[in-house]
């Protein structure tokens, strides 16, 4: 066999393997969502004996939903927890929101910390340090400012924290909101993101986002405490890695981590996706292959492989494969939503097509510029996940 023909056969075989892997990911994710999410977890310990939890809440600035989101944490139905509100700047308007809630709920064990402590380049870690140092419970729950919870969310997470589990995380999703940008976010966090997130966790790869994570404080302390992760921008990945390296298992909550930011636009969504892609590329160089797992690119590769191996029409296969992907994503989105969607099937179709069309542009933008803008800072990423702050002269 000629070298060219041998190479083409190898590429066709790769396309066939890619097809199998990607559809296994679809199936794993859809089945897991149907069996695990939105299911009331069995009571593994009496309510009164649930462990105490220190909630660390990093806050910066005020968006239209901050007050209502934050208030849901003051209304948690949980026997023993404290809320440690952390604000970096003395003039941050989030301070007034915190004081308002502290006055409204005097019986909730909650405190406000202003000023942070500079221990590294990660602004979130710097902000949380004063709260982490005084946290009095064995479990710490780090939860972003834009997250909204139900009264039993913490009970659900704590019930997953069995004796061999060191970290419980929530699958990121988005609350129902008005506007196309909100629909685009919800479609992404209900289709592409959970497909890789869930299939990675089910097959043994530790994939965790820090939007809502319940962790054992003593395990973090063994790794050096929060300060040990201040050199990274993606502190959640490295905290999860440190916990896994010490032999602890992970568990996923049955409730999603419900993002409910009051500020939403397509530009903000693109910037966020580009920042995440930059972090993944620098932490895990293998993610350079991510584009082949996107619908349109994968369908072209697999369509060419089907043509080379079975003489099928490339364009017909491409269209059929994209349609099957589109339907599988819709089934998964419905499962993660756990109820009726807030938008029409036409809205879904438009948002899905735009998201898939944006994927390559987002990836190329991440490769083009190695710097990251996050909050008020700008950072240069280094291989391995570390970063340095770029100071404007």
């Amino acid at each position: 066999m000629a070298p060219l023909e041998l190479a083409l056969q190898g590429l066709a075989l790769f396309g066939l393997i890619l097809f199998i892997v990607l559809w296994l990911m679809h199936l794993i994710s859809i089945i897991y969502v149907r069996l695990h999410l939105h299911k009331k977890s069995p009571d593994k310990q009496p309510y009164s004996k649930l462990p105490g939890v220190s909630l660390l809440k990093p806050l910066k600035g005020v968006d239209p939903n901050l007050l209502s989101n934050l208030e849901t944490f003051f209304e948690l139905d949980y026997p023993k927890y404290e809320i440690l509100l952390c604000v970096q700047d003395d003039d941050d308007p989030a301070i007034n929101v915190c004081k308002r809630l502290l006055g409204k709920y005097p019986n909730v064990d909650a405190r406000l910390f202003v000023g942070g402590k500079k221990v590294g380049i990660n602004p979130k870690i710097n902000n949380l340090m004063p709260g982490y140092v005084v946290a009095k419970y064995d479990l710490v729950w780090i939860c972003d400012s834009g997250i909204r919870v139900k009264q039993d969310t913490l009970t659900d997470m704590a019930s997953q924290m069995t004796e061999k589990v060191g970290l419980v995380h929530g699958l990121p999703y988005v609350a129902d909101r008005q506007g196309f940008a909100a629909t685009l976010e919800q479609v992404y966090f209900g289709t592409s993101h959970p497909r890789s997130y869930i299939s990675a966790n089910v097959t043994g790869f530790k994939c965790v986002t820090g939007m809502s994570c319940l962790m054992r404080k003593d395990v973090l302390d063994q790794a050096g405490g929060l300060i040990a992760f201040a050199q990274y921008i993606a502190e959640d990945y490295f905290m999860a890695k440190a916990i896994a390296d010490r032999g602890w298992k992970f568990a996923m909550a049955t409730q999603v981590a419900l993002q409910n930011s009051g500020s939403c636009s397509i530009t903000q969504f693109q910037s966020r996706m580009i920042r995440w892609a930059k972090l993944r590329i620098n932490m895990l160089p293998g993610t350079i292959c991510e584009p082949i797992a996107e619908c349109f690119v994968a369908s072209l590769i697999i369509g060419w492989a089907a043509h080379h191996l079975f003489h099928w029409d490339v364009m017909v296969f491409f269209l059929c494969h994209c349609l099957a992907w589109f339907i599988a994503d819709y089934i998964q989105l419905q499962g993660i939503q756990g109820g009726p969607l807030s938008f029409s099937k036409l809205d879904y179709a438009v948002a899905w097509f735009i998201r898939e069309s944006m994927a390559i542009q987002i990836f190329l933008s991440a490769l083009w510029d190695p710097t990251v803008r996050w909050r008020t800072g700008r950072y240069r990423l280094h291989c391995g996940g570390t970063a340095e702050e770029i100071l404007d002269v």
Side-chain angles (χ1 to χ4, degrees):
M1 185 179 292
L4 178 59
E5 181 61 27
L6 187 62
L8 291 176
Q9 289 284 20
L11 288 173
L13 181 60
F14 171 78
L16 185 60
I17 294 172
L18 180 65
F19 173 80
I20 294 170
V21 170
L22 291 177
W23 280 97
L24 278 175
M25 290 172 65
H26 274 291
L27 290 174
I28 288 170
S29 182
I30 290 171
I31 293 171
Y32 183 89
V33 165
R34 295 289 175 173
L35 294 180
H36 182 76
L37 286 191
H38 309 298
K39 307 293 184 184
K40 183 173 175 58
S41 56
D43 297 328
K44 297 174 181 176
Q45 51 189 316
Y47 175 83
S48 60
K49 293 186 178 180
L50 287 169
V53 174
S54 296
L55 166 63
L56 291 168
K57 199 72 176 171
L59 302 171
K60 184 174 181 61
V62 175
D63 75 25
N65 292 345
L66 178 63
L67 177 62
S68 60
N69 288 338
L70 199 52
E71 190 167 14
T72 61
F73 292 86
F74 283 79
E75 297 177 339
L76 285 167
D77 181 14
Y78 195 79
K80 187 168 56 176
Y81 74 104
E82 63 175 345
I83 301 176
L84 307 174
L85 304 164
C86 302
V87 182
Q88 184 71 42
D89 301 319
D90 295 340
D91 58 350
D92 195 313
I95 294 173
N96 293 328
V97 175
C98 294
K99 289 180 177 178
R100 181 175 171 182
L101 290 172
L102 291 171
K104 184 176 180 180
Y105 296 91
N107 295 325
V108 175
D109 184 2
R111 285 178 286 172
L112 172 62
F113 300 87
V114 179
K117 182 181 180 182
K118 180 74 172 180
V119 294
I121 58 97
N122 187 304
K124 182 176 178 180
I125 296 292
N126 293 336
N127 190 4
L128 291 176
M129 280 303 299
Y132 182 82
V133 169
V134 302
K136 62 186 179 184
Y137 293 120
D138 294 333
L139 299 180
V140 291
W141 181 21
I142 299 179
C143 192
D144 287 353
S145 61
I147 299 295
R148 185 178 187 86
V149 294
K150 299 179 180 179
Q151 285 190 323
D152 62 343
T153 295
L154 183 51
T155 303
D156 169 50
M157 296 186 75
S159 69
Q160 308 290 335
M161 187 67 81
T162 56
E163 61 180 15
K164 294 184 179 181
V165 172
L167 183 151
V168 179
H169 55 118
L171 174 69
Y173 190 50
V174 184
D176 295 339
R177 294 169 298 168
Q178 296 297 315
F180 180 76
T183 300
L184 181 65
E185 279 197 1
Q186 200 167 44
V187 167
Y188 170 72
F189 281 102
T191 59
S192 177
H193 185 273
R195 181 170 59 253
S196 56
Y197 191 93
I198 292 172
S199 56
N201 278 285
V202 168
T203 54
F205 295 95
K206 306 304 182 186
C207 183
V208 172
T209 62
M211 294 180 194
S212 178
C213 283
L214 183 67
M215 295 170 280
R216 295 184 184 272
K217 189 172 186 292
D218 62 334
V219 180
L220 285 178
D221 288 338
Q222 291 170 21
L226 283 190
I227 193 173
F229 308 101
Q231 62 181 315
Y232 306 109
I233 294 297
E235 79 292 331
D236 47 2
Y237 170 83
F238 291 98
M239 285 193 285
K241 184 178 184 301
I243 293 171
D245 288 346
R246 284 161 177 78
W248 293 90
K249 296 181 178 180
F250 293 0
M252 194 182 298
T254 66
Q255 295 184 20
V256 295
L258 199 63
Q259 303 168 78
N260 189 41
S261 172
S263 177
C264 181
S265 71
I266 294 177
T267 301
Q268 288 176 324
F269 173 76
Q270 284 182 305
S271 297
R272 188 183 187 191
M273 295 302 104
I274 291 171
R275 185 177 75 246
W276 283 11
K278 289 178 181 180
L279 292 171
R280 290 195 302 273
I281 291 168
N282 281 271
M283 291 186 303
L284 302 167
T287 57
I288 198 76
C289 298
E290 274 188 3
I292 65 172
E294 298 291 351
C295 178
F296 295 154
V297 176
S299 297
L300 282 174
I301 294 172
I302 297 168
W304 176 86
H307 172 73
H308 187 81
L309 293 173
F310 310 115
H311 306 292
W312 295 350
D313 186 277
V314 174
M315 187 52 63
V316 171
F317 187 95
F318 173 81
L319 293 174
C320 290
H321 191 261
C322 287
L323 177 60
W325 194 298
F326 171 84
I327 294 170
D329 275 354
Y330 188 75
I331 293 170
Q332 179 179 274
L333 175 61
Q334 284 185 312
I336 294 175
Q337 176 78 2
L341 297 172
S342 62
F343 45 84
S344 68
K345 291 183 176 67
L346 178 59
D347 289 333
Y348 164 74
V350 174
W352 182 90
F353 180 81
I354 290 176
R355 209 302 301 178
E356 295 296 337
S357 300
M358 290 167 56
I360 300 303
Q361 176 261 323
I362 287 171
F363 185 79
L364 292 177
S365 297
L367 287 176
W368 182 258
D369 181 7
T371 62
V372 166
R373 292 185 180 273
W374 186 37
R375 301 197 178 188
T376 58
R378 195 157 64 97
Y379 306 88
R380 181 177 292 108
L381 298 172
H382 300 300
C383 188
T386 58
E388 62 177 304
E389 188 170 5
I390 301 173
L391 301 175
D392 295 326
V393 179

